[in-house]
Amino acid sequence: QSVLTQPPSVSAAPGQKVTISCSGSSSNIGNNYVSWYQQLPGTAPRLLIYENNKRPSGIPDRFSGSKSGTSATLGITGLQTGDEADYYCATWDNNLSAWVFGGGTKLTVL
Amino acid sequence: QVQLQESGPGLVKPSETLSLTCTVSGGSVSSGNDYWSWVRQPPGKGLEYIGYIYYSGTTKYNPSLKSRVTQLVDTSKNQFSLKLNSVTAADTAVYYCARIYCTGGVCSFDSWGQGTLVTVSS
């Protein structure tokens, strides 16, 4: 059971928007920055969002992040079939003194 | 752009020790902004943080694996390594090495190796 809770799957049609939630607690999300990772099938994870809402260079602005209290959200607009992947949130947990990942969310673009 | 490459045996027997090395290029393991980590992913499952090491040798391990994990850094070879002892089938996974880049108190896993599958089986 992951410390951070994500929905197992989400789906939407091409061109639409989808959001993926990541729920934690005061020991992790509530007091630390959240990052998001995209893992395309058969590949290593890739940093998508850091510091809750910032995009590394090369990440399109279709991807956005936000945080409120002990939850974070990844948003993807203008969905493309190439966005089909697993998405993970991550942050530091002060109680565990360790990084924690969400269980992952599989995005299907119908 | 820093690049990371995992290496090591793809098959380990139960009760033995899993040993992997990550070679860093395009950057230095001695960089003060970087922490060098291992993350694993069992087949069909999610990501699990194993631990990180700083160039000084400071480590932070996942509490659930702490009793079995050792991480070392070799600045002369620009490498860092993972040892996981007393392995079982539950340790079968793709093992990734990754850089945790920190600036201004903000950290994230910004560079990843391609991953290496380690199977625990007799």
Side-chain angles (χ1 to χ4, degrees):
Chain A
Q1 200 77 339
S2 301
V3 172
L4 304 180
T5 301
Q6 296 181 232
S9 63
V10 296
S11 62
Q16 297 300 302
K17 173 182 176 179
V18 72
T19 59
I20 298 172
S21 61
C22 175
S23 178
S25 68
S26 59
S27 68
N28 42 67
I29 292 179
N31 283 285
N32 293 295
Y33 293 106
V34 176
S35 48
W36 288 89
Y37 303 85
Q38 177 193 59
Q39 186 177 33
L40 297 169
T43 70
R46 173 177 74 148
L47 177 63
L48 212 55
I49 297 288
Y50 67 98
E51 199 177 341
N52 301 332
N53 56 17
K54 292 183 170 50
R55 286 175 287 105
S57 61
I59 301 299
D61 59 6
R62 300 188 298 107
F63 295 90
S64 64
S66 64
K67 187 184 108 168
S68 178
T70 59
S71 293
T73 301
L74 173 70
I76 312 173
T77 60
L79 279 171
Q80 303 172 1
T81 55
D83 296 331
E84 285 201 335
D86 294 321
Y87 293 85
Y88 296 89
C89 57
T91 189
W92 180 259
D93 189 289
N94 295 334
N95 287 349
L96 297 173
S97 287
W99 282 88
V100 289
F101 286 93
T105 299
K106 182 176 182 61
L107 169 63
T108 301
V109 181
L110 302 168
Chain B
Q1 177 79 352
V2 67
Q3 294 186 317
L4 300 93
Q5 178 67 59
E6 305 89 352
S7 59
L11 181 63
V12 180
K13 289 182 169 55
S15 79
E16 296 190 345
T17 297
L18 178 159
S19 296
L20 295 173
T21 297
C22 184
T23 301
V24 178
S25 58
S28 171
V29 295
S30 299
S31 168
N33 288 337
D34 302 334
Y35 297 76
W36 304 98
S37 73
W38 291 93
V39 176
R40 70 180 183 179
Q41 184 171 37
K45 297 188 178 181
L47 303 173
E48 180 181 30
Y49 165 78
I50 298 173
Y52 75 64
I53 188 165
Y54 193 54
Y55 76 95
S56 63
T58 298
T59 55
K60 279 288 188 183
Y61 299 144
N62 184 328
S64 68
L65 298 170
K66 186 176 182 178
S67 64
R68 298 193 293 131
V69 172
T70 301
Q71 289 185 225
L72 298 172
V73 62
D74 186 336
T75 56
S76 67
K77 294 182 178 179
N78 219 29
Q79 295 176 333
F80 60 104
S81 63
L82 169 70
K83 290 188 186 300
L84 181 65
N85 60 36
S86 305
V87 297
T88 70
D91 295 309
T92 294
V94 174
Y95 285 76
Y96 295 100
C97 57
R99 181 180 79 164
I100 302 172
Y101 176 72
C102 297
T103 180
V106 180
C107 303
S108 58
F109 296 80
D110 77 328
S111 299
W112 297 70
Q114 65 184 27
T116 186
L117 174 63
V118 179
T119 301
V120 178
S121 174
S122 56

